[in-house]
Amino acid sequence: MEAFDYVIVGAGTAGCLLANRLSADPGVRVLLLEAGGRDNYRWIRIPVGYLYCIGNPRTDWMYQTQAEPGLNGRSIKYPRGRVWGGCSSINGMIYMRGQRNDYDGWARENPGWSWDEVLPYFLRHEDHHSLDAGGTDPAHGHGGEWRVERQRLSWEILDAFREAAGQCGIPPTDDFTRGDNFGSGYFEVNQRRGVRWSAAMGFLHPVLTRPNLVVISHAQVTRLVWRDDGPRRVDGVEYRVGLDAPQVARAKHEVVMAAGSVGTTQILQLSGIGDPGHLQAVGVTPQVALPGVGENLQDHLQMRMIFRIRSGVRTVNMLANSLWGKVAMGLEYALFKRGPMTMAPSQLGAFTKSDPGQASPNLEWHVQPLSLDRFGEPLHRFPAFTASVCNLRPSSRGSIRIVSPDAAVAPRIAPNYLSSEQDRAVAVTGLRMTRRIMAAPAMQPFEAREHLPGAEVESAEDLAHAAGDIGTTIFHPVGTCKMGPADDPMAVVDARLRVHGVAGLRIADASIMPTITSGNTASPVLMIAERAAAMIRADQA
């Protein structure tokens, strides 16, 4: 048994930042455990390489959901990063913070988490392109580890969609991160000069030479280790490297869970933290009764509407299905680090309200100059683009639960998409609003025809059913170890991210979100990790 001051579980988006911040104190020893390998796979660095990282066991946990009633009985892939950098090494690279209302809502039961209080923690690690030439902006930071740039490409069809959105009352914007992301524009991305900028690149690689930081790859944590005497306290973790015998790492101060909404939940349940009835049913001895562990799962479900357009319009479909198009894309990237190979999965975004009663935008579009039947399959051979719309604040709640005491067995993931009448109504509104944008004058020159779900699908009932056919995750699972006060029976951590009823254990990843943020979730996870690091240092001072 080797002893460290802090043991961090997961070298993903949160874990890389935590390792950087905690090991900055040369007086402490930090161990970072990662179930995957190093981020030296060539497709991680190339932005469009997410196509080769998602669904690849080298970089992805390869999870699947249960058959979902709301998706008309379909089971869908549920990618999660299993590599240094975690999901930030395989995700869409979109820089988004969410909305002021998200965090002010958290703060009603969790003091210290309002927008004004969390914004400094976003800025602490931000390196925003708008300040490269100097100057200041209270909404942005410069010189931090998390690089934010504009995309290095544009598309005629996306520019037209943006203009059409404006004709439907969604104005253009060049910044979605100031607290109210109403508007339409190209997403900013976490790239540096056309190369993916992951949390591993920003936070972990620069500090690997620190003598007080130890990183172990291919180390799957099997359970938390309990102290034998006194009140319930986590003393360390048990982990296994490959087929080797289990090893134990002791944490003098804290174990910090940063394995994400799936991984953190699974490890807590394997260790006896969760709903006692569920744990006993799967052969795990309960240690601490916290029925909220694994519950409150929230995710953004996107409805992928596909539109065929007239021939001659430049799309990825046309480029990728042409030998000369492939050569041109490769050369443009090799020579200039520009063009389609720098693409985020979605390039254009738009935000608006589904109805005037919403306090802030609750619909988001991800628009792409390409189309395919489902992720991982070939692009269509006809010119088309995709306009995916999602409900940013779903009321449906799902769960993640272990089915075995064996850490090698994947948990049961049941997002419970579209299980509420409210979510089905918002889905129908989103599909109809997409059609309204497509009918605007700016889109008419492209002679668009709806390919999916099809113009013949018109009634609210039929559109709700179609949403289940074309809906899929945008990879934003959160909330399975929610933050909340001790008198909330479903809360797992307090406002300082300490697990209720357990000493020496903290959680610092997307699982602590009480409610999902209104946008992409990678950068909010970094903010959570930044706050957690500051809290840990303060509590040990």
Side-chain angles (χ1 to χ4, degrees), residues 34 86 126 188 325 407 431 496:
E34 168 55 41
E126 189 179 69
E188 293 178 314
L431 295 174
R496 295 189 69 79

Side-chain angles (χ1 to χ4, degrees), residues 98-102 179-182 351-363 392-393 518:
Q99 299 173 7
R100 172 181 290 273
N101 286 352
D102 300 333
D180 179 359
N181 43 23
F182 178 49
F351 294 81
T352 194
K353 299 177 182 180
S354 62
D355 65 83
Q358 298 293 324
S360 60
N362 67 320
L363 290 177
L392 290 171
R393 292 190 287 278
S518 300

